[in-house]
């Protein structure tokens, strides 16, 4: 016999060695500043490229004023109770209507957290005989939602995966499922893939969904507020918003807040509201968020100049780093994904590079296997409207010095082939 806590003293689990070493440099770094393009890390000024403050709303004075006024009026307690019992207010309903209008849907339903909203929406709608088909690179919340879904009579809901953005493979899976299909079918995808920065092939997905009688759920965390007319998101940007059955947007990125919403038909919205356990059994979103989010939504809708500045910084960063010989991912979002080789000395080389950047005033996120293929390191950077041309110039200079100091070589054919499989898995 063993104790369930025995694993806690081992190197098992995510980042086991760093956890045991109580690392706070690479994992769980402590950053106390107000979110913005410049933040302190371990007492040093850094250019911050790791927060999703795409259009600079994190410290917007109007949003801040709305939150403070709401807190002064309602404190942090209102409303008390879940939406199902005593936590619904006219302000919640009004915000849902505004979000639905922005998403060009009939109605929407609020969730306290994006992760729990995805989980609640998908599990609420799953029934006997239903099948879920998931993009292989979908966010953990989508995968967890799919694997948590259970049919009432037949145990766990069948879950199938298709190769990332590979429409031939998706069609093959759809054909196979339809041979023995007894219930409903829903395709689950992101809009913008937050690590690599590429967009889902929503045109291909919507065409196949209609051909094979499937519904579509899109989690557009990195698309809403960033892409499309008035920041409506990836599906609007690609001209297929009407074909998306459930559009899920989150507030943790461009809105610089917390929570999320499922926008869909009124009929489906009400079913989710009554059956999403992650919200039925949770206290309603506090008024300070609800009222400040109304202001944030207005800023998103009116945010064309902010988005233009964001795209300018993104383009400058990508062009500058490519000139240095770095390989930049081919995604069509502002996200800048930089791939470098790390060979077999995976952790030591990766940490050496990440340390160099952070110690020289550039804070970005480092990604390794299993998120990307082995032998590669990816730096993920989020350009925002608040970054300046000077921030870009200094960052490019640090990357130039890192390349020379650490003798970072160019990627070989085999490594480039690995990267190609990320963006369209063969």
């Amino acid at each position: 016999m063993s104790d369930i806590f025995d694993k806690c003293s081992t190197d098992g689990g995510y980042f086991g060695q760093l956890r045991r070493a109580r690392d706070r440099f690479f994992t769980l770094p402590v950053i106390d500043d107000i979110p913005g393009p410049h933040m302190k890390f371990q007492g040093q000024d850094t250019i911050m490229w790791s927060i999703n403050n795409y259009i600079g709303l994190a410290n917007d004075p109007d949003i801040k004023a709305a939150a403070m006024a709401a807190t002064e009026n309602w404190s942090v307690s209102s409303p008390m109770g879940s939406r199902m019992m005593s936590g619904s207010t006219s302000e919640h309903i009004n915000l849902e209507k505004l979000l639905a209008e922005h998403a060009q849907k009939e109605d929407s339903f609020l969730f306290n957290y994006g992760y729990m909203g995805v989980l609640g929406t998908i599990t609420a709608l799953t029934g006997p005989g239903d099948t879920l088909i998931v993009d292989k690179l979908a966010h953990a919340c989508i995968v967890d939602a799919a694997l948590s879904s259970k049919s009432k009579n037949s145990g766990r809901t069948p879950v199938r995966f298709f190769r990332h953005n590979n429409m031939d493979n998706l069609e093959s899976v759809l054909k196979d499922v339809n041979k023995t299909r007894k219930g409903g079918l829903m395709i689950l995808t992101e809009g913008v893939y937050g690590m690599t920065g590429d967009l889902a092939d929503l045109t291909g997905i919507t065409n196949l969904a209609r051909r094979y009688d499937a519904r579509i759920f899109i989690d557009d965390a990195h698309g809403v507020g960033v892409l499309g007319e008035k920041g409506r998101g990836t599906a609007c940007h690609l001209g297929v918003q009407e074909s998306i059955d459930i559009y899920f947007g989150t507030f943790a990125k461009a809105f610089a807040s917390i929570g999320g919403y499922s926008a869909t038909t009124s009929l489906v919205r009400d079913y989710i509201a009554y059956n999403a356990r992650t919200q039925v059994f949770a206290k309603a979103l506090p008024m300070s968020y609800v009222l400040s989010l109304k202001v944030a939504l207005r800023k998103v809708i009116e945010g064309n100049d902010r988005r233009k500045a964001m795209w300018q910084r993104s383009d400058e960063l990508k062009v500058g780093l490519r000139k240095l010989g770095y390989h930049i991912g081919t995604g069509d979002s502002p996200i800048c994904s930089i791939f470098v080789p790390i060979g077999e000395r995976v952790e030591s080389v990766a940490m050496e590079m990440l340390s160099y950047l952070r110690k020289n005033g550039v804070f970005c996120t480092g990604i390794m296997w299993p998120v990307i293929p082995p032998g590669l390191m990816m730096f993920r950077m989020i350009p925002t409207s608040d970054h300046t041309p000077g921030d870009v110039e200094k960052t490019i200079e640090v990357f130039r010095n890192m390349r020379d100091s650490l003798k970072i070589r160019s990627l070989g054919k085999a490594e480039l082939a690995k990267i190609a499989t990320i963006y369209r898995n063969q």
Side-chain angles (χ1 to χ4, degrees):
M1 295 180 64
S2 62
D3 190 293
I4 197 168
F5 291 163
D6 285 348
K7 63 178 70 69
C8 301
S9 61
T10 71
D11 288 344
Y14 295 130
F15 306 106
Q17 292 182 342
L18 293 172
R19 170 178 50 78
R20 290 199 68 192
R22 296 186 176 276
D23 167 69
R24 291 297 180 269
F25 188 89
F26 301 105
T27 58
L28 301 178
V30 178
I31 304 173
D32 292 327
D33 287 353
I34 295 171
H38 305 115
M39 301 176 74
K40 285 188 181 295
F41 173 60
Q42 295 190 341
Q44 180 181 354
D45 292 329
T46 64
I47 302 173
M48 174 54 69
W49 299 101
S50 285
I51 58 172
N52 302 305
N53 185 30
Y54 285 104
I55 58 173
L57 298 185
N59 201 32
D60 182 89
D62 296 330
I63 297 173
K64 185 176 181 179
M68 292 179 68
T71 302
E72 178 69 24
N73 230 3
W74 285 281
S75 185
V76 295
S77 60
S78 180
M80 292 292 288
S82 70
R83 292 288 297 281
M84 185 66 73
M85 298 178 69
S86 56
S88 264
T89 72
S90 57
E91 295 290 359
H92 285 73
I93 295 168
N94 180 249
L95 177 59
E96 288 172 333
K97 297 297 183 185
L98 293 172
L99 290 165
E101 181 181 350
H102 184 242
Q104 298 178 313
K105 301 297 179 187
E106 289 181 3
D107 208 344
S108 74
F109 183 65
L110 283 170
F111 288 90
N112 294 357
Y113 294 95
Y115 190 104
M116 303 308 287
V118 171
L119 195 70
T121 298
I122 293 171
T123 56
L125 292 169
T126 304
D130 294 340
T131 301
L132 301 173
I133 302 180
V134 186
D135 186 293
K136 184 180 177 181
L137 292 190
H139 190 272
C141 64
I142 295 178
V143 175
D144 288 353
L147 297 179
S148 298
S149 297
K150 293 183 178 180
S151 296
K152 296 173 184 176
N153 299 328
S154 58
R156 196 170 297 279
T157 299
V159 178
R160 299 286 299 272
F161 291 87
F162 68 97
R163 295 172 191 153
H164 177 55
N165 265 351
N166 189 316
M167 295 302 102
D168 291 338
N169 185 240
L170 174 57
E171 183 168 23
S172 177
V173 174
L174 286 164
K175 286 180 178 178
D176 189 54
V177 169
N178 274 349
K179 289 177 183 177
T180 57
R181 175 176 166 184
K182 296 180 181 179
L185 178 60
M186 188 156 65
I187 301 168
L188 312 179
T189 180
E190 293 185 59
V192 178
Y193 281 79
M195 287 298 172
T196 51
D198 59 327
L199 312 186
D201 183 358
L202 293 179
T203 302
I205 290 172
T206 53
N207 288 337
L208 288 173
R210 296 303 166 247
R211 195 183 311 166
Y212 291 93
D213 193 26
R215 297 293 187 178
I216 301 172
F217 172 96
I218 171 179
D219 174 4
D220 207 22
H222 289 270
V224 65
V226 178
L227 298 174
E229 181 190 17
K230 298 181 180 179
R232 287 195 168 103
T234 310
C236 175
H237 172 70
L238 296 175
V240 295
Q241 185 77 343
E242 288 186 4
S243 298
I244 303 302
D245 297 295
I246 303 175
Y247 180 85
F248 190 87
T250 54
F251 305 131
K253 275 69 177 180
F255 282 75
S257 186
I258 199 166
Y261 60 100
S262 281
T264 181
T265 66
S266 297
L267 189 69
V268 175
R269 179 266 180 204
D270 287 348
Y271 191 88
I272 293 169
Y274 276 76
N275 292 278
R277 292 171 62 86
T278 59
Q279 198 62 41
V280 169
F281 297 100
K283 186 179 183 292
L285 195 66
M287 281 295 223
S288 56
Y289 287 104
V290 172
L291 294 179
S292 60
L293 281 166
K294 288 178 68 176
V295 179
L297 177 58
R298 174 169 55 82
K299 300 274 184 176
V300 163
I301 293 170
E302 298 171 353
N304 285 341
D305 288 343
R306 294 172 182 263
R307 282 184 283 274
K308 182 178 179 181
M310 170 197 68
W311 279 111
Q312 287 175 334
R313 298 295 87 77
S314 175
D315 292 342
E316 291 164 0
L317 187 64
K318 290 176 181 179
V319 168
L321 290 170
R322 283 195 180 104
K323 286 182 179 178
L324 296 179
Y326 287 100
H327 183 87
I328 309 301
T330 57
D332 293 325
S333 73
I335 296 170
C336 181
S337 300
I338 307 152
F339 292 89
V340 294
I342 55 176
E344 296 180 358
R345 293 171 48 234
V346 177
E347 289 194 7
S348 61
V349 174
M351 290 180 183
E352 186 178 25
M353 287 189 286
L354 202 58
S355 295
Y356 187 97
L357 292 173
R358 293 185 179 181
K359 289 177 180 179
N360 284 277
V362 172
F363 192 103
C364 63
T365 302
I367 313 294
M368 295 184 295
W369 168 263
V371 177
I372 63 171
L376 294 168
M377 176 81 165
M378 184 183 80
F379 298 106
R380 197 275 297 266
M381 306 179 75
I382 307 290
T384 74
S385 61
D386 282 351
H387 284 105
T388 67
D391 294 331
V392 174
E393 290 173 8
K394 180 179 177 181
T395 298
I396 291 171
E397 182 65 23
V398 171
F399 268 89
R400 175 188 287 110
N401 294 338
M402 181 177 72
R403 178 200 63 187
D404 297 340
S405 297
L406 303 185
K407 296 179 171 54
I408 298 174
R409 62 172 175 82
S410 299
L411 295 170
K413 289 184 178 179
E415 291 159 334
L416 291 171
K418 286 182 180 180
I419 295 170
T421 65
I422 298 174
Y423 290 95
R424 190 178 185 278
N425 203 317
Q426 304 296 325

